[in-house]
Amino acid sequence: MLKKLMNSLATGLVALTFAAAVHAQTATPPARPQVVLLATGGTIAGAGATAANSASYQAAKVPVDKLIAGVPELAQVAQVRGEQVFQIASESFTNEHLLTLGKRVAALAKQPDVDGIVITHGTDTLEETAYFLNLTVRTDKPVVVVGSMRPSTAISADGALNLLNAVTTAAAKDSRGKGVLVVMNDEIHTGRDVSKSVNIKTEAFRSPWGPLGMVVEGKTYWFRAPVKRHTTGSEFDIEQIAALPAVSIAYGSGNADDTAYRAFAAKGAKAIIHAGTGNGSVSNQVVPALRELRAQGVQIIRSARVTAGGFVLRNAEQPDDQYDWVVSHDLNPQKARILAMVALARGADSKTLQRVFMEY
């Protein structure tokens, strides 16, 4: 009796083991994340005359389908499909381009079959687009902006690895809720902080407060998270923005005068970003014009051309309270322009502008 029982147990164990093996072989593998690649042009879609041309080339030549086909490793990370939104060099990005791209990102983010979004972009204004999306697209899904410093035809081109790392980041669950990200040179940056600081080297993009993390051999590693308001925590919404007001940047320097400020105002600028020296300093020759323009309704925002770390302190260098001026805190002039446009599109006054510059 005992022997029959033992044989029966053994037979059952063999059957269970066989069934488990068959199930393991036939089980459906887990679905890969679905990532949409929005292509806008730039160096990552560029081509040079020879492999030695890493700095002289034509941007925005390679279409999105060829970008995806050129990195077959993408298929191991996610199901990637592409859309060609624009095919331009990023220095030609306009406010209308920002709005079109932002609305498309927002629409895709609402789709249940989209887990993450990657945007290929020229590097010249990549930081501005990333910050605009960070302010206006209300989603916790990963949105990653990526570019390259060398065209795909160059020796040691960086675009393919940058793109793979961007898709890896967009497909990673731990990327959710961190706002719009920029992935370049193995580093993950917040779109709020990062700026192009070099125009030749592949390590061109840097953040004054450091990157959020890195991508190494197909895995994301995180070291900090952004604390400023963004995406799902933003009061701004791309779906409620039909147009962006004119905001211009005037550069401070030695022997500066008020010509540029007055010209911008005459052309209809609703705000002028003063890219000042040091702590957003304003020369004695310019102060009277800025006070006059503010009295006419133009918002004056003091920023700084010094952007390696630090910020413009309110009522230092200039009596901002007395003049009803705004300071950009740690935002560089080009990012200050983006935030000013978004806030002014909602009719912000100077007090509201100062608040959003501190919160975003």
Side-chain angles (χ1 to χ4, degrees):
M1 185 68 178
L2 180 60
K3 186 175 181 179
K4 287 184 178 180
L5 180 60
M6 294 295 290
N7 288 338
S8 178
L9 288 172
T11 301
L13 181 60
V14 170
L16 286 172
T17 303
F18 178 76
V22 171
H23 178 73
Q25 292 177 0
T26 59
T28 303
R32 289 168 296 162
Q34 298 188 69
V35 174
V36 178
L37 176 62
L38 300 179
T40 70
T43 298
I44 197 168
T50 72
N53 293 118
S54 61
S56 55
Y57 53 85
Q58 285 189 306
K61 304 298 289 184
V62 182
V64 65
D65 56 338
K66 290 189 176 181
L67 282 178
I68 295 173
V71 190
E73 292 81 3
L74 293 174
Q76 301 172 21
V77 177
Q79 294 179 313
V80 181
R81 65 182 190 268
E83 295 182 16
Q84 192 76 50
V85 186
F86 313 118
Q87 187 66 295
I88 58 176
S90 70
E91 66 269 20
S92 297
F93 250 68
T94 64
N95 290 350
E96 288 70 29
H97 288 116
L98 287 175
L99 290 170
T100 298
L101 179 61
K103 291 179 186 296
R104 184 58 185 145
V105 172
L108 285 169
K110 290 181 177 180
Q111 296 182 193
D113 63 342
V114 175
D115 298 305
I117 300 165
V118 171
I119 301 157
T120 58
H121 200 289
T123 58
D124 281 355
T125 59
L126 184 152
E127 65 198 79
E128 297 173 45
T129 297
Y131 188 43
F132 177 76
L133 298 174
N134 196 58
L135 292 170
T136 61
V137 178
R138 292 181 171 180
T139 183
D140 68 344
K141 293 181 180 180
V143 177
V144 182
V145 189
V146 64
S148 72
M149 295 304 297
R150 296 171 180 165
S152 59
T153 52
I155 298 172
S156 298
D158 57 325
L161 182 56
N162 285 350
L163 181 56
L164 178 60
N165 286 344
V167 171
T168 297
T169 303
K173 291 182 179 179
D174 55 9
S175 299
R176 294 180 73 107
K178 294 182 172 67
V180 175
L181 305 169
V182 172
V183 174
M184 294 278 292
N185 200 44
D186 300 335
E187 293 181 334
I188 306 171
H189 294 264
T190 168
R192 180 196 185 271
D193 294 350
V194 75
S195 290
K196 184 177 181 179
S197 59
V198 182
N199 66 346
I200 294 293
K201 299 178 181 179
T202 56
E203 65 271 26
F205 280 76
R206 300 170 185 168
S207 297
W209 317 118
L212 302 183
M214 294 187 67
V215 188
V216 180
E217 295 187 353
K219 181 173 174 56
T220 55
Y221 296 86
W222 301 92
F223 303 103
R224 69 182 186 95
V227 298
K228 296 290 188 178
R229 294 176 66 179
H230 61 76
T231 54
T232 55
S234 177
E235 67 198 79
F236 309 113
D237 186 349
I238 186 64
E239 295 181 354
Q240 298 178 7
I241 303 175
L244 293 167
V247 177
S248 299
I249 302 171
Y251 204 80
S253 67
N255 201 47
D257 63 27
D258 60 12
T259 303
Y261 305 87
R262 293 187 182 280
F264 284 137
K267 288 286 287 185
K270 303 303 180 184
I272 296 175
I273 312 296
H274 170 69
T277 55
N279 186 20
S281 303
V282 185
S283 70
N284 291 335
Q285 305 95 292
V286 173
V287 169
L290 296 191
R291 295 190 68 183
E292 179 183 332
L293 293 175
R294 180 68 196 101
Q296 295 172 6
V298 179
Q299 297 288 349
I300 304 300
I301 302 168
R302 289 197 304 118
S303 184
R305 67 184 201 184
V306 180
T307 57
F311 52 84
V312 177
L313 188 64
R314 187 169 178 82
N315 294 316
E317 300 292 343
Q318 294 294 329
D320 298 299
D321 288 346
Q322 178 184 340
Y323 295 165
D324 196 27
W325 292 352
V326 175
V327 299
S328 70
H329 197 46
D330 67 322
L331 293 178
N332 64 28
Q334 54 270 35
K335 289 180 185 283
R337 172 184 165 270
I338 294 293
L339 181 53
M341 287 194 304
V342 170
L344 288 172
R346 295 190 67 197
D349 59 16
S350 60
K351 288 183 172 56
T352 302
L353 274 175
Q354 189 60 78
R355 174 183 62 79
V356 300
F357 270 101
M358 302 306 292
E359 293 180 2
Y360 292 86

